[in-house]
Amino acid sequence: MSTTLALARRAALFIALAALPGAAPALAQESGLVTRPSPHDVRGTIDRFAAAVRAANWVVFTEIDHAAAAQAAGLALRPRTVVVFGNPRGGTPAMAANPTLALDLPMRVLVWQDDAGATQVTRSTGEDTATRIFARHGIQLPPEARRMTEAALDGFVRRATE
């Protein structure tokens, strides 16, 4: 077996083990993620989130439906859809100056169904976005930019879940 294939299999095993019940909550608590429940179903929450993003003159680029991909592979997975969105007016100049930023932008949220059938929305915090994403590309966001990012992300999710 090639080294690349062996590493890929180890990585897949690690990801699968990390997803076992009890493993994710502790990680999520410390990882800069915020999860908010939604009274709407997954599709309704996605649509409400997209409407909030567009109302701010931002762009929804795409959705990634992990459950559909799992089903196509003959596997079952509760709904898990990643919504990819951003603000080209803000992101484009940053990417022009720091091309590798394009690996991590645009931003995304996860709309998913938990084991009880309730809809949840998980997003990164503004602080996490600054320290994990921007900092690794050599960009230091000032405190005001971190607060603005947090306010925008919180506002979009809040409008999706009201």
Side-chain angles (χ1 to χ4, degrees), residues 38-102:
S38 174
H40 311 289
D41 64 10
V42 169
R43 181 77 255 157
T45 301
I46 292 167
D47 292 343
R48 293 171 66 85
F49 181 82
V53 167
R54 290 183 182 111
N57 291 317
W58 288 31
V59 175
V60 174
F61 293 100
T62 195
E63 295 176 13
I64 302 168
D65 186 338
H66 290 290
Q71 184 177 24
L75 302 168
L77 182 65
R78 289 189 181 277
R80 273 114 174 87
T81 300
V82 175
V83 180
V84 181
F85 68 100
N87 179 354
R89 284 180 176 62
T92 301
M95 281 186 222
N98 303 324
T100 61
L101 185 59

Side-chain angles (χ1 to χ4, degrees), residues 10-31:
R10 283 187 201 147
L13 177 61
F14 174 77
I15 291 167
L17 290 174
L20 290 174
L27 177 62
Q29 296 289 328
E30 300 171 7
S31 65

Side-chain angles (χ1 to χ4, degrees), residues 58-141:
W58 288 31
V59 175
V60 174
F61 293 100
T62 195
E63 295 176 13
I64 302 168
D65 186 338
H66 290 290
Q71 184 177 24
L75 302 168
L77 182 65
R78 289 189 181 277
R80 273 114 174 87
T81 300
V82 175
V83 180
V84 181
F85 68 100
N87 179 354
R89 284 180 176 62
T92 301
M95 281 186 222
N98 303 324
T100 61
L101 185 59
L103 286 169
D104 292 316
L105 290 183
M107 291 186 262
R108 48 203 163 272
V109 299
L110 171 65
V111 181
W112 55 286
Q113 186 182 73
D114 66 21
D115 291 343
T119 302
Q120 308 290 332
V121 181
T122 301
R123 66 169 178 88
S124 294
T125 65
E127 187 64 26
D128 178 67
T129 301
T131 58
R132 185 180 53 82
I133 295 175
F134 283 89
R136 84 181 195 139
H137 300 285
I139 303 167
Q140 297 302 315
L141 292 182

